[in-house]
Amino acid sequence: MSITTGDFRAKITASTLLEKKQRQEIITCLTAYDYASARLVDDAGIDIILVGDSLAMVMLGYENTLPVTMQEMLHHTRAVRRGVKRAFLVADMPFASYHLSLRESLRNASRFIKEAGAEAVKIEGGEKRAGLVERMVEAEIPVVGHIGLTPQSVHAMGGYKVQGKTLLAVEQLMHDALALERAGACCVVLEGIPREVAAMITHELEVPTIGIGAGPECDGQVLVFHDLLGLTFAPPAKFVRRYADVGTVISNALAAFKGDVKSGSYPSDAESYHLPKETLASLEEIAERKRTVRL
Ligand code: KIV
């Protein structure tokens, strides 16, 4: 067991996140879905790594997040776990894994902690999930809430639309956030809501808010790894800032490989393995003897 200190490389926990909010220190969060992306994100010093169910779309090519299964989420979370040393590791519970019975929801949540090494689970929904959040927290499972534009409700919402635009909707969002905090959620993701509403919620809550498409006043910001790096195939949402065009870098590298193989310039002699001199000499001797016998 190691004692955590305040230094840059110290392990991030739910308490570190709370302390960051109290110190008004911004929290960073990114998604990761495999070992390599997890290593890169963790080495960059990002505070929270989320194995988001967005992997259904960006990794598995589904149209929305609904089809991804428990098995798939566990598989990706295990891979990410192997790449993360410092960040707080959160796993998204997939659609229908926490909607049916309390017993099944608790069992599924505990699998992320016990079998995949997550340090918290994230579930979508506000007030209506408060009872479940309370039971998870009682079962020693830290929970991250997620309200506003909740992608698992895409059909119920009638599409991906910014939420919380009317007075009634703003009041409901505030109730949702407070209910999650009272139930014991360690942070709350605010997605796709007006900046002003996110600012009000952030001000009211003691636990940190992590925004995505929710303006700059949240306690932290999260983006999807593939969005930030330009690894998606559709035009990005308004809130996405592309920090690199890795998609183009990859396409250029693939075209160069294809060209080199076709022209015969890859692999070169320097990129080939060679026989030891003595083995080569013996082989040549054998070949020479065979030639002599034939003559
Ligand atoms: O699945 C995901 O990537 C998420 C973030 C966008 C918050 O839930």
Side-chain angles (χ1 to χ4, degrees):
M1 192 188 292
S2 67
I3 310 268
T4 51
T5 59
D7 71 281
F8 170 70
R9 293 310 308 172
K11 176 81 188 87
I12 302 289
T13 64
S15 338
T16 325
L17 299 174
L18 192 59
E19 287 159 19
K20 277 182 182 267
K21 170 153 185 157
Q22 287 158 355
R23 287 200 300 270
Q24 296 186 350
E25 194 183 315
I26 199 88
I27 296 166
T28 52
C29 175
L30 281 175
T31 64
Y33 312 107
D34 58 15
Y35 173 76
S37 57
R39 282 287 305 259
L40 291 168
V41 175
D42 198 50
D43 288 351
I46 298 296
D47 298 314
I48 306 174
I49 293 184
L50 169 67
V51 186
D53 63 350
S54 49
L55 74 81
M57 299 166 81
V58 298
M59 295 289 289
L60 306 179
Y62 288 116
E63 209 171 294
N64 56 46
T65 59
L66 304 183
V68 73
T69 64
M70 272 297 295
Q71 284 311 327
E72 287 164 335
M73 290 303 299
L74 287 168
H75 169 82
H76 284 273
T77 305
R78 283 189 207 104
V80 170
R81 173 73 279 167
R82 293 189 281 271
V84 176
K85 287 199 181 82
R86 172 187 175 267
F88 185 56
L89 178 55
V90 182
D92 242 343
M93 292 193 67
F95 175 65
S97 70
Y98 59 96
H99 302 71
L100 307 176
S101 76
L102 176 65
R103 197 181 160 80
E104 198 184 336
S105 307
L106 288 172
R107 183 177 301 120
N108 285 335
S110 62
R111 291 189 69 191
F112 281 102
I113 311 289
K114 195 179 171 89
E115 296 173 31
E119 290 156 320
V121 295
K122 176 165 82 57
I123 63 174
E124 296 185 5
E127 215 170 4
K128 63 182 169 202
R129 303 272 177 251
L132 175 60
V133 173
E134 216 170 300
R135 295 297 298 272
M136 287 179 172
V137 173
E138 262 171 34
E140 317 301 347
I141 302 168
V143 182
V144 173
H146 183 164
I147 57 173
L149 192 171
T150 45
Q152 291 176 8
S153 322
V154 58
H155 299 315
M157 288 183 308
Y160 298 112
K161 295 177 186 158
V162 173
Q163 303 292 301
K165 285 183 162 177
T166 65
L167 201 55
L168 212 63
V170 174
E171 275 172 9
Q172 184 57 51
L173 276 175
M174 186 60 88
H175 281 308
D176 287 336
L178 289 168
L180 289 172
E181 173 167 279
R182 271 195 300 271
C186 64
C187 16
V188 179
V189 170
L190 304 177
E191 178 165 356
I193 62 174
R195 157 180 193 171
E196 298 78 9
V197 182
M200 278 163 48
I201 295 174
T202 301
H203 183 75
E204 281 303 310
L205 291 194
E206 277 173 31
V207 296
T209 60
I210 311 293
I212 173 159
E217 283 86 8
C218 299
D219 298 305
Q221 296 292 330
V222 55
L223 275 180
V224 166
F225 184 85
H226 290 59
D227 284 343
L228 170 141
L229 295 175
L231 277 169
T232 50
F233 299 94
K238 173 184 172 136
F239 60 82
V240 170
R241 188 179 292 178
R242 280 209 163 147
Y243 287 85
D245 187 2
V246 175
T248 303
V249 172
I250 293 176
S251 296
N252 290 343
L254 301 180
F257 167 75
K258 182 178 155 190
D260 286 354
V261 171
K262 282 184 173 272
S263 71
S265 78
Y266 177 81
S268 67
D269 186 58
E271 287 157 332
S272 308
Y273 296 108
H274 292 275
L275 272 175
K277 276 199 188 93
E278 319 77 68
T279 318
L280 191 59
S282 305
L283 275 177
E284 279 166 3
E285 223 178 277
I286 294 166
E288 180 56 29
R289 252 187 266 134
K290 279 186 184 159
R291 262 200 303 276
T292 320
V293 171
R294 260 187 254 123
L295 285 174

